[in-house]
Structure formats: C-alpha cells, structure tokens
Amino acid sequence: AAGVRVLIEAAHRCGGYPRAAGAANLISLGRADMGRRALWLRTEHQRPPVPDGKALLKQCEANGFPVHMVPKGEVAPPEAVVQMHFAFTVDPGEEGGGWGYGGYGGGYGKGDAYAA
C-alpha cells in the first residue's frame, strides 16, 4: 500500500499532471489512450493485493491527493491528476472480487504466463 500511496502523492507533487490540454499525445500508451491527461495508475493486478484499497484512497483524498475512478469508456475530468481502475477498490475476498478469467487466481491478463 505504501508504494501505491507514494506514486499517487508523487503525481500530485511533480506538477506534470494533469497534462496540458494541448500537450502532445503519448504514443507509448497506444491509440485509444494516447491523449490521456491524468496519470493512469494500473494497480488492480498488484500482488499481493492491497487489502483495503478504498481506505487507502480515502486517506489519500483526506491528505489532498484525490484519485478518480473512471468507468470504462469514460474520460477522466480535466482536473484529474491520477485515475485508477475501479477493481483496485474491490476486496479480493468479496463476492465478485477480482476480475477477468478466474478472478485474481489465474487469468491470462497482462503479466500472467499462458500455459498451453
């Protein structure tokens, strides 16, 4: 949890986010995401998962470092500094926790080894 907090705070403090409206596209993000203005912090695959993502984000917001949870297909608000995937706030032990093929236990998402 400490590493996620450090990244969120660093994004707010560095002055680079939100990126300016006329900033060049970030080609490294791919065609669909190259125009993002906020830091897209992907931590939903964190292993071990952060035990209480909701509490961490509430604490960050209370300290002046808000994070926006942006639903799929929507764009973060212009003032967003950090955005994250909603799955970060889902407790892996909850009913419906995790996501993808088989929840956290074994999907073939990015970083997972595929065994034929």
Side-chain angles (χ1 to χ4, degrees):
V4 173
R5 182 181 299 112
V6 166
L7 291 171
I8 291 168
E9 291 177 9
H12 279 272
R13 290 185 173 143
C14 77
Y17 299 98
R19 296 177 64 242
N25 287 335
L26 296 172
I27 297 168
S28 62
L29 294 179
R31 177 170 252 126
D33 294 323
M34 66 176 44
R36 286 194 189 277
R37 298 183 60 218
L39 175 65
W40 183 220
L41 187 55
R42 299 301 302 257
T43 55
E44 66 273 11
H45 283 297
Q46 172 121 351
R47 291 218 171 82
V50 173
D52 193 349
K54 289 178 188 176
L56 173 66
L57 297 182
K58 283 182 183 179
Q59 182 182 29
C60 286
E61 185 168 12
N63 292 330
F65 307 112
V67 174
H68 293 269
M69 306 308 269
V70 182
K72 185 174 183 173
E74 293 190 23
V75 177
E79 71 277 4
V81 172
V82 179
Q83 76 179 77
M84 293 177 76
H85 192 277
F86 73 90
F88 180 74
T89 61
V90 176
D91 181 358
E94 283 182 30
E95 179 70 25
W99 61 275
Y101 302 102
Y104 287 102
Y108 298 115
K110 291 182 180 178
D112 289 336
Y114 176 76

